[in-house]
Amino acid sequence: MGKPGEGRLTTHVLDTASGRPAAGMEIALYRFNGEGRMHLKTVITNADGRCDAPLLEGNAFAPGEYELIFEAGNYLRKQGMRLPAPAFLDRVPIRFGIAEHSHYHVPLLVSPYGYSTYRGS
């Protein structure tokens, strides 16, 4: 499906504890190469809990294994939530594969004690 250069990767974070988009959350993107991983970029979510641009697109988008690390603990603390030390959820890693050149949307629904994700559209 799709041709090289046509795919894109996006994300969206919703704070299920407050019922709002998770604005201001830091997210790091990594690509796995063999046994190691390479940091590609770090972004901050906007007021809608999204990134201002796709995380990957065009020639930067390629099949492979990736990881998004969401700084949920820091975000929740900034919202005034009192988290235990250590927090139950601090960094939320989502490791996933891209197999084809199409739109991959990896949303995160997060609260202090749980999260979920899926491949969205």
Side-chain angles (χ1 to χ4, degrees):
M1 180 183 229
K3 299 175 199 165
E6 289 184 353
R8 65 189 166 122
L9 172 64
T10 58
T11 190
H12 185 200
V13 186
L14 296 174
D15 177 343
T16 57
S18 70
R20 293 189 212 119
M25 184 181 291
E26 183 176 300
I27 305 167
L29 173 64
Y30 295 86
R31 179 181 167 99
F32 286 87
N33 296 324
E35 294 299 314
R37 68 179 186 169
M38 178 175 61
H39 178 258
L40 299 179
K41 65 173 59 173
T42 298
V43 297
I44 306 289
T45 57
N46 62 24
D48 194 34
R50 300 177 186 273
C51 302
D52 290 330
L55 295 167
L56 293 173
E57 65 182 332
N59 292 331
F61 183 92
E65 287 187 60
Y66 293 86
E67 184 174 50
L68 289 168
I69 298 182
F70 297 84
E71 295 291 339
N74 287 343
Y75 162 80
L76 292 166
R77 286 182 201 94
K78 287 179 192 172
Q79 304 312 302
M81 292 191 187
R82 298 177 65 113
L83 302 178
F88 181 71
L89 294 176
D90 195 12
R91 290 184 178 95
V92 175
I94 299 175
R95 190 169 176 175
F96 59 97
I98 291 177
E100 58 193 29
H101 292 276
S102 66
H103 183 194
Y104 280 75
H105 184 66
V106 182
L108 178 70
L109 306 174
V110 68
S111 74
Y113 296 98
Y115 71 92
S116 66
T117 190
Y118 54 93
R119 181 175 175 192
S121 58

